[in-house]
Amino acid sequence: MAKGSRLSARVRAALARPGGETKTYLARVAGRFPAAGILVDAPLRVGQDGRAAVGGQGAKDAATHFYPLAVVDVGRARVNDGDGDDVSASYTGGGRFETLVAARLTHSGRFHQIRAHLAHAGYPIVNDTSYNGGKGGGCEQKG
């Protein structure tokens, strides 16, 4: 799952947070995710376009906890595993970040819950053209 022992330990720690009986998923999102993680508590429904939509008539309770595991500056391809150890590659640019996050569903899983909640929070999954405004790798991001 993780290449380095430090990152692997962080992934295991994130997966062992309270509520361990729930499933945990991993996603690579656009932007620099808050270090403390976030809770997205937003009811979901299936919209007329067939995608999950936040709120509105018929929306059902849905909450997802997200925890950051690693941040990458994809412009510089500099990986930080959170322990101060960077692995660098020879790409140019800078300032476009992606974050590997762990996601935990606290209410029963709704249709596209993780995708919709991440997009709603402003951190769409990278290369998810359905919930990323039709964009692939180059996407709007927070942070």
Side-chain angles (χ1 to χ4, degrees):
M1 177 167 30
K3 289 187 177 185
S5 61
R6 289 183 183 145
L7 180 56
S8 179
R10 287 185 56 148
V11 169
R12 284 193 309 275
L15 299 178
R17 288 197 170 106
E21 67 284 349
T22 61
K23 291 181 180 178
T24 303
Y25 302 87
L26 299 177
R28 185 172 53 111
V29 302
R32 186 188 293 258
F33 214 77
I38 61 172
L39 167 65
V40 178
D41 189 356
L44 296 173
R45 63 178 170 79
V46 178
Q48 290 182 341
D49 61 359
R51 297 182 309 148
V54 173
Q57 186 175 357
K60 297 180 181 179
D61 287 344
T64 313
H65 287 273
F66 296 101
Y67 305 97
L69 301 175
V71 177
V72 177
D73 181 342
V74 294
R76 285 190 248 163
R78 190 168 185 87
V79 178
N80 183 319
D81 66 1
D83 295 325
D85 296 334
D86 289 342
V87 178
S88 299
S90 58
Y91 296 109
T92 60
R96 192 166 69 84
F97 295 95
E98 293 178 359
T99 304
L100 175 66
V101 297
R104 290 212 143 150
L105 309 179
T106 57
H107 291 300
S108 60
R110 304 285 178 210
F111 176 73
H112 292 182
Q113 179 172 334
I114 293 169
R115 296 167 75 185
H117 276 173
L118 282 167
H120 177 69
Y123 300 97
I125 294 175
V126 173
N127 295 326
D128 182 354
T129 56
S130 293
Y131 291 87
N132 193 5
K135 300 175 185 175
C139 47
E140 295 297 317
Q141 60 185 350
K142 283 189 174 183

